[in-house]
Every structure is written in C-alpha cells, then in structure tokens.
Amino acid sequence: MKKIGEKIYTWVDERYDLSPILKFMSEKNVPVHHHTVWYYMGGVTLFLFITQVVTGILLLFYYRPGADSAYESMRFILTEVNFGWLIRSIHSWSANLMVFFVFVHMFSTFFTRSYIKPRELTWLTGFALLALSLGFGFSGYLLPWNELAFFATKVGTDIVGVIPVIGKPIMAVLRGGEDVTGATLTRFYAFHVAMLPAIFTVILFVHVLFVQKQGMSEPEGLSKTKKTMPFFPDFFLRDALLWMIVLNVLLFLAVFYPWDLGFKADPFSPAPAGILPEWYFIFMFQTLKMIPAHVLIFEGEVLGILFFMIAGLAWALVPFWELKSKRKGLSNPMNIVGIISIIYIIIMTIIGYTS
Amino acid sequence: MKISLIVSMILAGMLLYPGTTIVQAEITDQLVAEDNCVSCHLEMEILPADFQKYDIHLQRGLSCAGCHGGDPSSDDPEESMDPKKGFIGKPALKDIPQFCGKCHSNIDFMRTYRPRIATDQVQQYYTSIHGKKLKSGDTKVAECVSCHTAHAIPSGKDGRSTVYPLNIPSMCDKCHGDSEHMKGYKIPTNQFEKYARSVHGINLLENKDIGAPACNDCHGNHGATPPGIESVSHVCGGCHVNNLDYFKESPMSEPYVDLEIHACEQCHGYHEVSKTSDEMFGVSEKSVCNECHTEADAGYIAAQKIHTSLSNFVSAYDSAEAQLREVQKKGMDDVEVLFLLKEAHQVLIHTRTLTHTFTPSKVEEKSQEGIEKSRQALEIASLEIEDYYFRRRGFGIATLFITVLVIALFFRIRSMDKEEK
C-alpha cells in the first residue's frame, strides 16, 4: 500500500515538482499563546462549509424547486429516501452552526486585532464571506417552501424594498416579480446552489490564500519569546480532533432535534402568528420593529435600514478607520465597540424571541 | 336624463357595496323620520312593544302602512287611519295568516325581493295542526306572529331572528314547554329538556352547530305536524339516508311494519336521541337488542356476531391509533399512518352504518376491510418507532467510533508534544 502511494507521489512529482509545496507545508508554523484557541474557529467554519457542500449536493439529487414540487420533494427526502432525514437535518444544523462560527471567527479576529496591516484584505474577504453566509441562510430558508419560510421571506424582502431609491428594484429582482411566488423560489434556488457557492468558493480560496501567504496573525503585546508549533502535523491533528467533535455534535442535533418541515406554504392564507426570520437576523428584525414609525420627518424603518447599512459598511472597513490605542481590556476603544456590538446583538435577539 | 342615470348607478353601486347595511340603516332612519305613522306613534309613545328598526320589512322600505294599510303621508289621524284608505289596524288572531299571506302568498310581489322565495307558507300552515286548530277557532295555537314576532322580524339567517336555527328549540318551547298553555292538548311538555340532552340538541345548543336538526327539521316548518308511524323513519332517513336504505332491505323491516314499531325510534328514541355506541349492539346489558331478543333466537345470535365483528375492528383501530400517538410523540413521520387511519375510520363509519342491515356477514366483510387497513397502519407506525430507535443506536455507534478516534488523536498529539519537549 505504501509502495503504491510512493509510486503515485513520484509520478506526480516528476511531472509537477511538489517540493515547493512540501517545503511550504513543512515550514508552516502556528504561533502558540493563550489566544491560539481562536485559530481553530476558521477551521471549524471551513469544516462546516464542506459539510454544507456535501449534504447540499446529496439533497440536490432529490430536491425539485417549484411551488408545486419543492415541499413535496422535501417530504419525499424526509420520509422515503434512505437517511434523507439525516442529510437534511445535518444540512440545516451545519448551516446554523456555520453562521455561528463565522461570527465567533469574526469577533475573535476583531478582538485580537488580526485585521490590521498587512491583513486588511483578509478581513475584507472574511467580511464578504460572512455576508455570503447570511445570503446562503436567507436563500436556503425558503427552499422547503413551508409556511414559516414563505412569510419570513415575504417580510425579509419587504424590508429590502424599504431601502430608498434602489430598494424596490432589488426587491423585484429578489422576488422575480411583485410578490413572493414560485418565481421567487426558483430564483432563490439559483442563488443558493449556483451563484452563491461559486462566489463563495472564489472568495474563500482568496481568503485562505491570504492566510497561507501571510501566516497566522499574532496579537500585539505578547511576550517576545515566540513559541510556535508546526502546522503539519501538530496543528492539523488538533484541527481534525475538533472537527470530529463538531461532527459528533452535528449528529447529536440531527438525531435528537431533527429540523421540522412544517406546513406547506399557502400564499392565500393569512400569515400565521410568530413569524420570525432565522436567529442571526433577529437582532436587525427586532430593531426595525422597535423603531417608531416616524422619527422626525423620516420613516423609522428607512432610518433603521440605513443605520444597519452604515454600521455594516463601517464594520467591513474597520482596518481603515481603527481607533488606535495601546490600552488593554475595556479601556481600549475598539474593545468597547466590539463588546457593545455583541451585547446589542444578544439583547436584541433575546427580546426578539421573547416579545 | 343623464344625471338621473348616473345618480341611479351610484345608488345601485352603494347598495351593492359592502357598506349596504349602513346605507339600509340610513334608509330606515329616513323612513322612520318621514312616516307619519311612526313619528306620531313614537311621539305618543304607543309604538308596539316589539318594534325594532332592524325589522326586515322596515329595512326594505315597508313601513306600518305596508301591512296595516292607511295613508302614512297624512298627519291627520282620522285621514291616515281611515278604513276607506285601506286601514286594517290590528288584525284578529284568526286572521293573521291571511294578513301576512296578502304579500307572502303573492309570488308576483314577493319575487321582486327574492326570485326564488317560497310563497306557500299559508297554504302549508293550514295543513298543520296549528293551522287546522286555528281554523276551527282555537286561538291558543301558533300563527305567524307567535313564531316570527310582529314587529321585530330580521332575516332568518340573522342571529337575532326567533327562527334562526339556534333559537328554534327555545322558540317552540315557549308554548310547548308551558304546561298551563298546553293543558287540554294531551301532549307532553318536556320535549325541550329531552331534546337538549339528545345528540342533536347537544350539537345545536352546546356546540352551536347549525347543521344539527332543530324541531322544524323533523316536524316541518309552516306545515308542522307530528310524524306518523309510517313517516317517522323517513324523517330520520332524510338525513341518515344510508341507515334507512339498509334498514329497508334488512330482515327487520317487514316485522317492524307488521308490529307497528317505529323503525328508528324503537332503538334510538326520538326527542332524546342519545349518541350511539357499539354497545347498543350485542347481548350485553347496554344492548338494545336484548329488549326484544332472547338467548338462542336468531336475532340474539346475529346481534352477538355483529357486536364481535365491530369489537374486533374497533380494537384493531384503537391499537393502530395508540401506535400513531407514539409515532407523533417521538416526532417521527406520521403522514402515511394518518392517511391509512383516516381510510380505516371511513370504513368504521361505513361498518357502523351497515349494522342497520342486521346481517352479520355484511358487517363482518366490511370489518375485515377496516381491520386490514388498521393492521397496515399499525405496521407502518411500528416501523417508524423501530426507525426512531435505529437512529439512536446509529448515533450511539457513530459516537463510539468518533470518541475512539478523538481519544487516539488526543494521545497522538500528547506523545508528539512530549517528543518535541
């Protein structure tokens, strides 16, 4: 077996010269310090993305987009296809966990100042990946064509329509017409399985390439005696260990808390009570709900959306306006910005679920 | 010309628009204000006690003179209530059917309000016990006003109407439950109490199901009469069509006619029709078959067989239903089981209806069909529950496998760390 492996390696090496790659991999080191744990978050996110791709492709074998077939094919997957229930549940749970770990990865990067020069573009590509992950979540939510997803999409796209000037055209493009219909479903399907994965894969490649090229960022103010560990096999094995634990958690969630299919969407029925978007949109949804209908001469909802657009843009451009300070902990202004953001998201999410 | 056409169209549009009720209320207010009968009687506080503006006659523009005659345009009482101008005043009780029938029996007049309206009420009324007795001079019996009121008659579909389905039993009971009033007629006065306890009464009065029969559904409306021996089964069969058809073809049909036994009433009762149960059939104490059949006669054996078929079916159905609840409790897929159980339930209803054939083989055949469906449902439900445990076992094995890998990796990492140190 070993000989076959060697033969294959030699065959490829003779033709493509693998020594620079091997050299790079053997020399790649990961800094070791008390923030090393955050390095694993990107890896976990990557693992969950791979899970998404694999389970998503398996679902594609049976899923049929369309107002008359989407829900039925989902029911078929859940009831008739061998392990269909498991694949679908893992897909849904890993999507949610992926968004969660994207946030954890982003905030760990933020608090460890890993975005500063020379890693501005790594941060920017990471932010783009966060936006695309949310896009994946939003478009995938509608695909089962159930009641909850239908009305949540209606509300979500309505909010987009409020954006001044460009809102209505964007809403029409997203919906494929004036209302959420079967046309919206096929459109979201195209976004979810073709457009977003293509863009995501390219940006993910660039993001990982930047990390490999520049190496792991080390937080400022650590001791000068630098300690490292080789990426192969030390860090890689630790990554693999964590991935396996995450896989086990995914299996646990899929078996014990399988994702509901709900009732088929009926565009003519009134919206049921308790329509909520996915948990990662709740803080924005709740904020928009709490803003008064009119603030001075402006519409409250428009102001709220503009606020989130500006806040999102500011967050994406953090490396370029960072408030520099050598202070540590809560006296550092950037830490205060980060902590306020997290507290705001958590509180608004709790209010959203409990109100 | 054009303006009047436009105005007419606007007015027609207003009447067709959902705000019709508001428009009608305005018309009524205007009518009440301009009609000298109303304004004068209102001023003198001698309007009839039951006078209501929601009365359908007022709503459609018919004021006092529409029924009582006279000239409402005159404010001189002698002129407005001049018999020469058609003033009738308060009609005598015996004349009320004709009084209302002036319009309600006139199809040419009534069809201007509703094209398919019935106009045979007075004709039917005189075929009823009420009508016959009124004709013979008994003014205690019900005439139009007794049931409909005189001046507060909304549409029969209006909940305020005395003849709205939910109000009919209590409306009839006003007279039929009054033992003083009914003295001399030699009929019981406890029909309402019995009816209220019946399956029909509970559905209508408690569950507010206006599809459930009230008094008029069995006794008729204007032609109200107690159903005779010949017609009582037809009355029940009006709704319970299959039960009657099966009964007519059953071996019980002829003997019942010979013995002058009311077909349905014999087992189910009449005003106090209780909810049926499978226990009604068979030879137990709750069975109604025991009332006529004795041990070892053919009817007794047939009842026993029918009860056994029904019990076997119900038992199979209940087992499948219990397993379905278990499937639902475990959060597994219940669609196919539910579908099969719905089918089985339909068969169960059919089987229970077939008991009216009093033929054990027919009931047994249908029961077997239902038992088979219940068995299929039970089998699928059991597979779902098995799958539930399979998933958990699978998770356990996967966890074990992953845990072994995690431990192996952990020791490998530790040994590497030691080597590096």
Side-chain angles (χ1 to χ4, degrees):
Chain A
M1 192 69 187
K2 200 177 173 185
K3 278 184 179 175
I4 296 170
E6 278 173 11
K7 275 182 183 175
I8 294 170
Y9 173 78
T10 314
W11 191 91
V12 177
D13 189 42
E14 279 171 1
R15 285 158 182 80
Y16 301 104
D17 185 19
L18 297 175
S19 56
I21 300 170
L22 279 184
K23 187 171 178 292
F24 170 78
M25 283 166 69
S26 61
E27 287 174 4
K28 184 175 166 58
N29 285 315
V30 176
V32 177
H33 47 79
H34 59 274
H35 288 304
T36 301
V37 66
W38 301 115
Y39 293 149
Y40 296 104
M41 297 303 120
V44 170
T45 311
L46 180 65
F47 168 71
L48 290 166
F49 176 68
I50 294 166
T51 310
Q52 285 284 281
V53 174
V54 173
T55 52
I57 289 170
L58 291 174
L59 289 173
L60 273 180
F61 291 164
Y62 294 97
Y63 179 77
R64 285 179 291 127
D68 296 326
S69 56
Y71 184 85
E72 286 72 13
S73 64
M74 284 304 299
R75 178 163 282 288
F76 182 78
I77 289 169
L78 292 177
T79 57
E80 302 294 328
V81 178
N82 282 336
F83 294 102
W85 61 273
L86 183 67
I87 300 299
R88 193 266 168 152
S89 237
I90 289 182
H91 191 76
S92 303
W93 273 115
S94 59
N96 283 277
L97 286 181
M98 183 179 136
V99 174
F100 174 75
F101 278 104
V102 167
F103 272 104
V104 174
H105 183 45
M106 181 187 72
F107 277 111
S108 66
T109 309
F110 181 85
F111 285 115
T112 52
R113 302 280 181 287
S114 305
Y115 53 78
I116 56 171
K117 187 181 173 184
R119 295 184 175 79
E120 297 96 326
L121 291 179
T122 316
W123 170 266
L124 269 179
T125 50
F127 184 85
L129 290 174
L130 164 74
L132 289 169
S133 300
L134 298 180
F136 265 122
F138 188 61
S139 56
Y141 197 45
L142 180 67
L143 298 191
W145 199 244
N146 59 26
E147 208 174 45
L148 195 66
F150 177 83
F151 287 104
T153 305
K154 209 169 161 57
V155 174
T157 45
D158 270 342
I159 291 171
V160 175
V162 174
I163 302 171
V165 189
I166 53 167
K168 292 283 178 204
I170 293 178
M171 188 179 86
V173 169
L174 283 174
R175 287 182 172 181
E178 282 190 9
D179 291 313
V180 176
T181 60
T184 321
L185 178 64
T186 45
R187 206 158 273 232
F188 273 40
Y189 174 71
F191 293 148
H192 194 76
V193 306
M195 217 169 92
L196 290 175
I199 302 171
F200 194 95
T201 309
V202 171
I203 299 179
L204 179 65
F205 178 76
V206 174
H207 186 74
V208 174
L209 192 72
F210 286 164
V211 174
Q212 299 310 315
K213 177 73 184 161
Q214 296 173 323
M216 303 288 204
S217 155
E218 280 181 78
E220 291 170 324
L222 293 175
S223 62
K224 286 180 182 173
T225 52
K226 286 186 179 176
K227 202 178 156 195
T228 61
M229 71 165 124
F231 187 87
F232 286 104
D234 295 42
F235 190 83
F236 178 76
L237 286 180
R238 284 174 167 83
D239 240 352
L241 190 145
L242 191 59
W243 288 17
M244 269 186 272
I245 291 171
V246 173
L247 175 66
N248 211 8
V249 170
L250 264 180
L251 285 174
F252 170 80
L253 291 170
V255 171
F256 290 94
Y257 301 97
W259 215 260
D260 279 350
L261 180 58
F263 300 107
K264 187 177 177 178
D266 177 5
F268 299 109
S269 69
I275 289 292
L276 284 175
E278 291 271 61
W279 60 269
Y280 37 85
F281 291 119
I282 296 276
F283 74 97
M284 290 191 267
F285 181 68
Q286 185 57 33
T287 307
L288 294 178
K289 264 171 73 179
M290 287 168 80
I291 296 176
H294 290 281
V295 180
L296 301 174
I297 55 164
F298 304 103
E299 274 190 43
E301 208 171 19
V302 175
L303 273 187
I305 290 165
L306 286 177
F307 164 74
F308 281 117
M309 285 172 75
I310 293 165
L313 190 67
W315 194 260
L317 300 176
V318 155
F320 308 102
W321 61 262
E322 191 208 17
L323 305 169
K324 289 188 171 55
S325 167
K326 291 196 171 175
R327 290 179 189 170
K328 286 184 177 178
L330 277 176
S331 52
N332 184 303
M334 289 312 282
N335 283 351
I336 293 171
V337 169
I339 287 166
I340 288 174
S341 304
I342 290 177
I343 290 173
Y344 181 79
I345 290 171
I346 291 174
I347 288 177
M348 279 300 174
T349 306
I350 292 170
I351 295 173
Y353 276 113
T354 52
S355 64
Chain B
M1 183 65 188
K2 275 183 183 172
I3 292 170
S4 63
L5 184 69
I6 292 166
V7 171
S8 309
M9 285 171 72
I10 292 170
L11 282 172
M14 283 166 74
L15 285 166
L16 290 171
Y17 193 67
T20 307
T21 322
I22 299 165
V23 175
Q24 279 181 347
E26 283 167 4
I27 290 171
T28 314
D29 286 341
Q30 195 184 353
L31 187 75
V32 167
E34 290 175 359
D35 189 292
N36 282 314
C37 309
V38 180
S39 54
C40 202
H41 279 250
L42 189 66
E43 200 181 309
M44 294 169 72
E45 296 183 353
I46 49 169
L47 269 179
D50 64 344
F51 181 86
Q52 291 290 349
K53 280 205 281 186
Y54 62 66
D55 182 283
I56 195 154
H57 303 100
L58 273 179
Q59 295 284 332
R60 298 293 167 95
L62 275 172
S63 184
C64 314
C67 300
H68 296 279
D71 180 8
S73 62
S74 168
D75 56 2
D76 176 1
E78 285 193 7
E79 199 178 330
S80 62
M81 293 192 282
D82 185 354
K84 285 177 191 161
K85 291 198 172 180
F87 181 71
I88 301 169
K90 189 178 177 182
L93 283 173
K94 66 176 177 52
D95 298 330
I96 287 179
Q98 277 88 8
F99 182 79
C100 300
K102 265 190 315 189
C103 298
H104 281 275
S105 299
N106 182 349
I107 184 67
D108 291 330
F109 178 74
M110 291 306 291
R111 67 156 62 108
T112 58
Y113 293 97
R114 195 149 37 106
R116 292 178 62 192
I117 198 164
T119 49
D120 61 345
Q121 296 94 332
V122 176
Q123 202 185 339
Q124 279 202 34
Y125 174 75
Y126 283 118
T127 66
S128 75
I129 296 288
H130 297 142
K132 284 175 186 168
K133 285 200 176 289
L134 187 75
K135 221 172 202 176
S136 67
D138 182 355
T139 52
K140 272 173 73 186
V141 294
E143 23 64 35
C144 315
V145 168
S146 319
C147 302
H148 293 280
T149 77
H151 305 98
I153 310 176
S155 155
K157 291 173 189 164
D158 190 318
R160 291 170 295 188
S161 168
T162 47
V163 293
Y164 183 69
L166 292 181
N167 303 330
I168 286 176
S170 52
M171 188 267 291
C172 298
D173 187 54
K174 261 196 322 189
C175 298
H176 282 272
D178 182 348
S179 51
E180 193 57 39
H181 184 85
M182 296 304 291
K183 204 183 274 177
Y185 292 116
K186 293 176 186 167
I187 54 172
T189 52
N190 61 349
Q191 296 96 329
F192 181 81
E193 286 79 17
K194 283 187 165 183
Y195 169 79
R197 285 195 297 268
S198 76
V199 66
H200 299 142
I202 289 168
N203 272 330
L204 184 76
L205 303 174
E206 287 181 23
N207 302 337
K208 311 292 179 203
D209 176 3
I210 58 168
C215 316
N216 61 320
D217 289 291
C218 300
H219 295 280
N221 294 306
H222 301 100
T225 183
I229 293 170
E230 287 299 313
S231 59
V232 72
S233 51
H234 294 291
V235 168
C236 305
C239 297
H240 302 277
V241 184
N242 290 330
N243 304 38
L244 179 65
D245 287 348
Y246 287 143
F247 179 80
K248 276 182 185 167
E249 290 164 13
S250 78
M252 304 283 266
S253 180
E254 268 185 40
Y256 265 47
V257 175
D258 295 343
L259 293 168
E260 292 194 353
I261 299 173
H262 289 207
C264 313
E265 183 199 328
Q266 183 62 31
C267 302
H268 296 282
Y270 52 111
H271 289 121
E272 202 172 3
V273 178
S274 55
K275 191 171 167 58
T276 53
S277 79
D278 295 334
E279 294 303 316
M280 284 178 75
F281 243 99
V283 292
S284 72
E285 280 178 12
K286 291 177 186 170
S287 156
V288 290
C289 309
N290 281 342
E291 289 173 16
C292 303
H293 294 283
T294 51
E295 205 167 343
D297 77 17
Y300 186 92
I301 294 165
Q304 205 166 24
K305 281 183 178 172
I306 288 174
H307 181 72
T308 307
S309 298
L310 268 180
S311 300
N312 290 342
F313 182 6
V314 170
S315 161
Y317 181 84
D318 287 348
S319 304
E321 205 179 33
Q323 197 76 327
L324 168 71
R325 279 197 291 275
E326 198 61 25
V327 167
Q328 289 169 328
K329 203 171 85 183
K330 289 188 165 21
M332 300 299 285
D333 177 38
D334 61 350
V335 175
E336 212 172 331
V337 186
L338 264 175
F339 187 71
L340 275 165
L341 272 183
K342 267 189 183 168
E343 281 189 345
H345 193 254
Q346 276 304 111
V347 179
L348 183 59
I349 292 170
H350 195 175
T351 311
R352 283 172 172 155
T353 311
L354 274 171
T355 57
H356 296 91
T357 62
F358 300 96
T359 312
S361 60
K362 287 183 180 172
V363 177
E364 173 62 13
E365 191 187 340
K366 206 69 194 167
S367 292
Q368 283 306 323
E369 191 189 320
I371 287 171
E372 178 55 23
K373 285 198 188 298
S374 304
R375 192 194 59 73
Q376 286 172 9
L378 182 73
E379 198 176 295
I380 296 170
S382 302
L383 282 174
E384 284 293 329
I385 290 169
E386 204 176 292
D387 197 30
Y388 170 84
Y389 288 111
F390 170 77
R391 289 177 187 188
R392 269 149 186 75
R393 280 197 299 273
F395 172 73
I397 293 165
T399 304
L400 190 71
F401 181 70
I402 292 169
T403 309
V404 169
L405 271 177
V406 166
I407 292 168
L409 267 177
F410 175 76
F411 282 113
R412 173 81 182 113
I413 291 165
R414 211 167 69 160
S415 73
M416 277 189 331
D417 287 350
K418 275 182 187 169
E419 279 169 24
E420 278 167 22
K421 276 178 187 172

